[in-house]
Amino acid sequence: MTALITPFKNGKIDQESYAKLIKRQIKNGIDAVVPVGTTGESATLTHEEHKICIQIAVDTCKGTATKVLAGAGSNATHEAIEFAQFAQNQGADGILSITPYYNKPMQEGLYEHYKAIANSVDLPVMLYNVPGRTGCDMLPATIFRLFNDCPNIYGVKEATGSIDRCVDLLAHEPNLVVVSGEDAINYPILSNGGKGVISVTSNILPDKISELTHLALDERYIEAKAINDKLYSINKIMFCESNPIPIKAAMFIAGLTPVLEYRLPLTPPSSENLKKIEAVMKTYDIKGF
């Protein structure tokens, strides 16, 4: 699955480029796209823009084998419910819901937050735990409780960067769908029983991330590891500055977006890091449209 960037042009969503990028993902074997997650700069989109991105993704994937796992999180439960219900009404296949950021709820608050979201829709719900971004860590006990109490909560995007956490989750609840949210450790998570990845790098190399994931799921671990090792350099450089600064720069360098534009407070990468990104990219075969 690809955590889609959101291309901008003159301060607005470049809707034409967005649909074009999604078609490229479909063409290169991605199983699902994830609009308006962290990589999509959801924190600086208006509610209307957030909904436009979901709608474009659903419309573009319609009639294909590629699913839409719509970003539908917020630090306010009522807003997360609104996004979840909108995604369902538009025809998304599931939702990805980040832990509330900034207000630092307790574990009971997280439980009630996600229970309310899950009860508001019929869609499958994937939890999203990324404490480095949110200041909030959803502990395994809370994840297990939600998994057992809410039939449509089926898995978690695990982005703590901890292999130990992934082992803990799957050792105690093997039926939980654990998805890698950290490109550098996609292979270790998959080989430990993870069921997929939500990737930043697959914006630029969807074919390679797809191949890696499917090889691992087919238990062809040596081949999968070889790809993961080859991708290590680009996976690391994509986080030389805050995501999605490097990946958007890479997409522009590759000619996949017409302009390089961010929403403040995000800014373009430093000239030094831009040169590093460009140098690393030269070692990979990046498919065009």
Side-chain angles (χ1 to χ4, degrees):
M1 296 175 271
T2 298
L4 295 168
I5 65 163
T6 302
F8 298 121
K9 194 172 183 179
N10 300 320
K12 297 180 179 179
I13 296 170
D14 184 348
Q15 298 186 31
E16 183 179 347
S17 291
Y18 195 53
K20 196 174 178 183
L21 291 174
I22 294 169
K23 288 176 183 176
R24 177 176 172 267
Q25 293 290 317
I26 296 167
K27 180 181 176 182
N28 283 281
I30 288 295
D31 296 301
V33 293
V34 185
V36 282
T38 303
T39 311
E41 295 177 78
S42 56
T44 51
L45 297 181
T46 66
H47 283 200
E48 181 184 358
E49 288 173 328
H50 191 118
K51 292 174 179 178
I52 286 169
C53 287
I54 292 174
Q55 189 170 19
I56 292 171
V58 171
D59 289 346
T60 306
C61 292
K62 196 171 291 179
T64 76
T66 302
K67 307 293 186 184
V68 177
L69 183 67
S74 173
N75 60 340
T77 305
H78 66 91
E79 288 182 359
I81 288 172
E82 179 187 344
F83 286 140
Q85 291 177 336
F86 177 84
Q88 177 168 279
N89 292 337
Q90 290 302 305
D93 299 285
I95 61 166
L96 176 71
S97 192
I98 196 166
T99 53
Y101 40 88
Y102 188 76
N103 46 25
K104 298 179 76 171
M106 306 304 288
Q107 295 300 307
E108 186 63 26
L110 288 173
Y111 173 81
E112 293 296 342
H113 171 81
Y114 280 114
K115 184 178 179 181
I117 294 168
N119 287 342
S120 75
V121 292
D122 298 319
L123 286 179
V125 176
M126 180 173 286
L127 310 172
Y128 178 13
N129 192 34
V130 57
R133 300 290 298 230
T134 64
C136 172
D137 187 6
M138 182 163 42
L139 299 178
T142 304
I143 294 172
F144 300 148
R145 190 178 171 201
L146 286 163
F147 179 72
N148 289 318
D149 291 355
C150 303
N152 55 334
I153 292 179
Y154 72 104
V156 59
K157 178 185 176 183
E158 177 36 59
T160 61
S162 168
I163 293 295
D164 180 81
R165 176 64 64 87
C166 295
V167 173
D168 185 353
L169 290 169
L170 288 167
H172 293 94
E173 188 50 79
N175 293 321
L176 179 72
V177 172
V178 174
V179 167
S180 172
E182 192 85 30
D183 274 312
I185 54 173
N186 282 340
Y187 171 75
I189 290 175
L190 289 166
S191 62
N192 181 62
K195 298 299 184 200
V197 308
I198 295 178
S199 172
V200 173
T201 301
S202 61
N203 278 281
I204 195 92
L205 291 169
D207 53 328
K208 289 300 177 187
I209 293 293
S210 178
E211 186 181 4
L212 157 66
T213 305
H214 285 278
L215 283 170
L217 293 176
D218 288 341
E219 299 182 1
R220 294 165 65 182
Y221 294 121
I222 293 173
E223 294 163 89
K225 184 179 183 300
I227 296 173
N228 197 78
D229 290 347
K230 188 176 180 181
L231 293 176
Y232 183 78
S233 295
I234 197 164
N235 286 337
K236 291 302 288 184
I237 204 68
M238 287 302 105
F239 292 89
C240 65
E241 295 190 21
S242 296
N243 179 46
I245 292 173
I247 187 60
K248 289 192 88 171
M251 298 291 277
F252 175 68
I253 291 166
L256 297 170
T257 53
V259 295
L260 180 57
E261 194 171 314
Y262 303 84
R263 278 273 170 88
L264 285 171
L266 295 187
T267 54
S270 69
S271 56
E272 181 184 354
N273 279 332
L274 196 59
K275 289 175 184 175
K276 289 179 181 177
I277 293 166
E278 196 164 6
V280 168
M281 287 174 62
K282 287 178 181 176
T283 65
Y284 295 91
D285 178 21
I286 297 167
K287 307 291 185 188
F289 292 107

